[in-house]
Amino acid sequence: MFQDIYTIWLREMVKFVRARSRIVSSLAMPFIWLFILGFGFSSSITIPGLPYIGFLAPGIIGMIILFTSVFSGISVIYDRQFGFLKEILVAPVSRSSIVLGKTFGGATIGTINGLIVLGISSILGFTGFGIGTFLAISFMILIAISFVAMGLIIASRMKSMEGFQMIMSFLVMPIFLLSGALFPLSNVPDAMRVISYLDPLSYGIDGIRGSLVGITNTGLVIDFLVLFGIAVGLISVGTLMFKKSTQL
Amino acid sequence: MSAIKIKDLTKKFGKFTAVDCINLEIKEGELFGLLGPNGAGKSTTLNMLATMMTPTSGSAMVNNMEISNQDSVRRSIGMVFQDPSLDDELTGKENLEFHGRMYHMQKNLRAKRIDEVLELVGLGDKAKFQIKTYSGGMKRRLEIARGLMHHPKILFLDEPTLGLDPQTRRGIWDYIQKLNKDEGLTIILTTHYMEEADYLCDRIAIIDHGKIIALDTPEMMKNEMGGDILKLETREPENLIKILTFDWIKQKNLFEGYLNVTVEDGGASIPNILNIASKAGIKIDSVQMIRPSLEDVFIHYTGRTIREQEADTADQMKKMMNQWGRK
């Protein structure tokens, strides 16, 4: 079981390290967001007791983890299209191991990307390091796991990458924008706040922000418990859907 | 000992019956071919034996294990799929490495076996290149090597030479034969190429519309057809036809000025016929021997050529694929 999970995780890592140009291009976007929004809004948005970059950085960390993780999960579609999934499916390995290997692989990549963005934001003036960093990392891991699992669920229903743009527009972008990554949720209209509370990423970003700069909306304990529950739930559903989609 | 024992195996996709109550026994060490047009149910049968699909009804034993015993069966077989199933971004060696790990091979054994199988398919010098630099034939060879990594007792090959050029195909055939003859590996392949089944297989099952309609050695199948045809060219075919009245001549007819006679053993019959003709003073200008092909066998059993058959099943295939896509 562990050996199988490790094997599938290892493949994700080898491919991640090999695709260096992809890493650079995927990190260019959060850098641009941090740079332009950070400086652009810093004078017009005031958050009590915090420069805007301090508020924004945890949001952008959440963003990069969201994007890379969903993509990691959906990449099973590529495995299916290029046939490699068959090689995995015909091996004497349980479907759960495959899902866990894929999830942890994608989650590792997502978390590494999150840490890189944390590094970038410190260059741009973000100061919020300390014991909280470790707590923030655990939130990053939970965000990553949840959204890789969500990607796997999408991949088990979607047969080609053609629908990817639609997933980006109608699922991933709203999740990002409603999560309180760019602005505080405390001042938004009630209806919007309700939707935001249904957004798993809200708890993740609130958790990272709380751990790093001490500003939180829902409180770290609730953030952690809710996100943990969501991660476990999505992995379970993901495993079921994956099993169903590969049963012939 | 039988490597495979299939009993009443059936697979339905919705209303479409892909495999219809097949019974079959394959011996250890046999090179066995499932021959039939696209959509006949060959791949479905293979996928069920490899535990990739669950049968709708019936049962099958692979290496004396029920196919419901997924993991044990999987460990004892190697599978080479019809479509490529390599990771393009990984190197040849990494693909094999992944496979070895998935089959729980220890590190030392893995390294040793990777070298062995790469040697076997002549890819030792390409091991460190990414798959995207490989040609179609090289990919196929690496997939065969991968299927052998974990010392399976049976190797399944689904259309092993589909889409390869004739020269590469010949090379793959040699590897397949070498594995079967030298290593005693039981090999079960599907193909819709007549000449491939004829050249490689010890025994063939012809599958059509999910049913086995003929099962024998290629030689026996062709003998079923009544033997060889001798095409005799002569100026007086009418006279020749009159004197050729022997038991060993099964059939004779005039066609486009040639006299066609069907005999069991064409090679031995030629001198006989020449002798008889020259004694009767009939000059034979030329003799041509035609051995019946598997294509003839196929026409004999189905009443159609394999190509006509494919056009016919294309619709059903589409339906089946849709079913797959929806699941």
Side-chain angles (χ1 to χ4, degrees):
Chain A
M1 174 97 184
F2 288 114
Q3 195 183 340
D4 303 331
I5 296 173
Y6 171 71
T7 302
I8 292 170
W9 176 86
L10 191 66
R11 167 172 174 252
E12 302 292 319
M13 290 307 111
V14 171
K15 288 171 74 111
F16 172 64
V17 172
R18 187 150 298 160
R20 281 187 209 95
S21 60
R22 214 181 297 158
I23 302 172
V24 173
S25 65
S26 75
L27 289 174
M29 184 175 52
F31 180 78
I32 291 167
W33 279 79
L34 271 175
F35 191 80
I36 297 177
L37 288 186
F39 290 112
F41 280 141
S42 63
S43 52
S44 40
I45 297 182
T46 41
I47 287 124
L50 198 66
Y52 182 61
I53 186 82
F55 182 86
L56 181 68
I60 301 300
I61 291 169
M63 177 188 83
I64 187 71
I65 299 175
L66 168 72
F67 287 1
T68 47
S69 299
V70 169
F71 186 79
S72 278
I74 290 186
S75 73
V76 172
I77 293 177
Y78 282 129
D79 286 344
R80 194 187 293 130
Q81 263 177 357
F82 294 108
F84 194 74
L85 190 62
K86 279 188 184 163
E87 153 75 356
I88 301 177
L89 291 179
V90 81
V93 166
S94 74
R95 299 289 194 262
S96 327
S97 305
I98 298 171
V99 171
L100 289 176
K102 266 272 169 194
T103 307
F104 294 147
T108 309
I109 295 167
T111 308
I112 291 172
N113 280 337
L115 287 170
I116 294 174
V117 173
L118 182 61
I120 293 174
S121 34
S122 73
I123 299 170
L124 296 174
F126 177 76
T127 51
F129 299 99
I131 307 290
T133 312
F134 294 100
L135 197 53
I137 291 172
S138 57
F139 276 105
M140 291 186 206
I141 294 171
L142 284 179
I143 298 175
I145 289 176
S146 304
F147 288 108
V148 178
M150 186 182 277
L152 285 171
I153 293 171
I154 297 166
S156 64
R157 304 291 307 176
M158 211 164 85
K159 297 299 161 195
S160 78
M161 280 309 247
E162 276 165 41
F164 183 67
Q165 200 51 48
M166 212 173 74
I167 297 294
M168 279 305 284
S169 308
F170 291 104
L171 189 74
V172 178
M173 282 314 278
I175 286 177
F176 165 55
L177 292 171
L178 288 166
S179 67
L182 304 178
F183 45 79
L185 293 174
S186 43
N187 302 326
V188 299
D190 286 346
M192 193 170 151
R193 190 163 37 236
V194 171
I195 300 172
S196 291
Y197 283 148
L198 295 174
D199 180 350
L201 190 61
S202 306
Y203 302 94
I205 288 177
D206 197 60
I208 297 176
R209 200 173 276 142
S211 318
L212 290 178
V213 296
I215 289 184
T216 148
N217 196 25
T218 32
L220 286 182
V221 177
I222 290 181
D223 286 339
F224 190 85
L225 291 178
V226 171
L227 198 57
F228 189 82
I230 287 171
V232 171
L234 285 172
I235 287 182
S236 314
V237 176
T239 308
L240 280 176
M241 303 269 289
F242 184 75
K243 274 184 187 163
K244 224 184 128 201
S245 74
T246 52
Q247 211 85 59
L248 291 169
Chain B
M1 275 279 273
S2 46
I4 303 265
K5 229 178 191 167
I6 299 175
K7 199 167 176 297
D8 300 332
L9 197 68
T10 302
K11 179 71 182 178
K12 292 180 179 172
F13 296 100
K15 279 184 184 159
F16 175 63
T17 307
V19 174
D20 195 357
C21 211
I22 280 184
N23 285 286
L24 181 64
E25 200 166 337
I26 297 169
K27 290 188 285 287
E28 257 178 30
E30 225 179 333
L31 210 174
F32 191 91
L34 292 166
L35 175 70
N38 288 330
K42 296 165 292 166
S43 295
T44 309
T45 307
L46 219 57
N47 277 324
M48 282 192 280
L49 293 177
T51 78
M52 292 285 282
M53 282 183 190
T54 15
T56 310
S57 64
S59 66
M61 302 277 280
V62 174
N63 292 319
N64 291 317
M65 291 172 284
E66 277 288 343
I67 47 172
S68 53
N69 209 338
Q70 275 196 353
D71 281 4
S72 318
V73 170
R74 286 171 177 206
R75 255 184 279 272
S76 75
I77 58 164
M79 177 85 178
V80 178
F81 293 101
Q82 184 169 333
D83 307 309
S85 60
L86 297 164
D87 190 329
D88 267 16
E89 286 175 38
L90 299 182
T91 65
K93 195 175 175 179
E94 283 166 344
N95 267 284
L96 297 178
E97 182 78 30
F98 180 87
H99 186 87
R101 283 177 187 274
M102 291 291 264
Y103 286 77
H104 295 189
M105 295 169 74
Q106 293 306 313
K107 196 177 179 208
N108 294 336
L109 179 64
R110 221 159 54 212
K112 185 171 147 270
R113 192 61 184 155
I114 287 175
D115 291 341
E116 275 174 17
V117 293
L118 281 174
E119 186 67 28
L120 196 66
V121 297
L123 283 174
D125 52 335
K126 298 283 180 195
K128 291 211 165 84
F129 291 95
Q130 275 177 290
I131 300 300
K132 53 185 167 195
T133 66
Y134 281 35
S135 69
M138 284 160 67
K139 285 183 189 170
R140 222 64 271 250
R141 270 146 63 199
L142 188 73
E143 284 179 313
I144 292 175
R146 186 176 65 181
L148 296 169
M149 268 280 286
H150 55 285
H151 291 286
K153 286 189 187 152
I154 305 176
L155 184 66
F156 292 107
L157 300 166
D158 199 356
E159 299 275 2
T161 63
L162 190 72
L164 299 180
D165 61 80
Q167 202 186 339
T168 313
R169 172 183 297 179
R170 197 41 87 121
I172 301 279
W173 285 357
D174 290 343
Y175 288 120
I176 293 174
Q177 237 161 10
K178 190 164 76 177
L179 289 171
N180 178 248
K181 299 287 174 288
D182 298 355
E183 319 231 332
L185 190 67
T186 310
I187 297 179
I188 296 156
L189 59 87
T190 72
T191 181
H192 67 285
Y193 296 122
M194 296 289 173
E195 65 279 18
E196 183 161 280
D198 200 359
Y199 182 85
L200 281 177
C201 299
D202 300 327
R203 277 199 307 156
I204 295 172
I206 295 182
I207 296 194
D208 190 30
H209 295 310
K211 288 195 172 92
I212 294 180
I213 51 174
L215 172 69
D216 218 325
T217 63
E219 279 313 303
M220 286 302 287
M221 278 187 179
K222 285 184 274 185
N223 284 343
E224 274 289 286
M225 303 298 297
D228 305 333
I229 296 165
L230 297 178
K231 203 173 181 186
L232 307 167
E233 188 185 4
T234 171
R235 300 211 175 159
E236 31 195 336
E238 283 85 4
N239 294 335
L240 188 58
I241 210 168
K242 271 176 214 149
I243 59 164
L244 287 178
T245 49
F246 303 95
D247 289 347
W248 46 271
I249 294 177
K250 293 182 162 180
Q251 227 182 334
K252 45 191 178 175
N253 57 45
L254 275 169
F255 186 68
E256 290 175 347
Y258 291 95
L259 175 61
N260 294 330
V261 296
T262 310
V263 293
E264 203 150 286
D265 185 350
S269 304
I270 294 175
N272 271 342
I273 289 177
L274 290 179
N275 260 332
I276 293 158
S278 76
K279 270 180 195 156
I282 298 167
K283 190 167 172 274
I284 292 176
D285 298 319
S286 77
V287 183
Q288 217 183 346
M289 183 168 89
I290 302 161
R291 311 219 62 205
S293 67
L294 272 182
E295 182 86 42
D296 298 320
V297 175
F298 192 84
I299 295 169
H300 175 75
Y301 281 109
T302 67
R304 274 180 294 183
T305 68
I306 205 163
R307 295 201 187 286
E308 287 168 9
Q309 199 75 310
E310 273 170 16
D312 188 51
T313 38
D315 283 340
Q316 276 171 324
M317 268 301 277
K318 260 184 217 153
K319 273 183 210 155
M320 196 177 89
M321 288 336 248
N322 281 342
Q323 210 80 39
W324 271 43
R326 224 171 280 140
K327 269 215 139 185

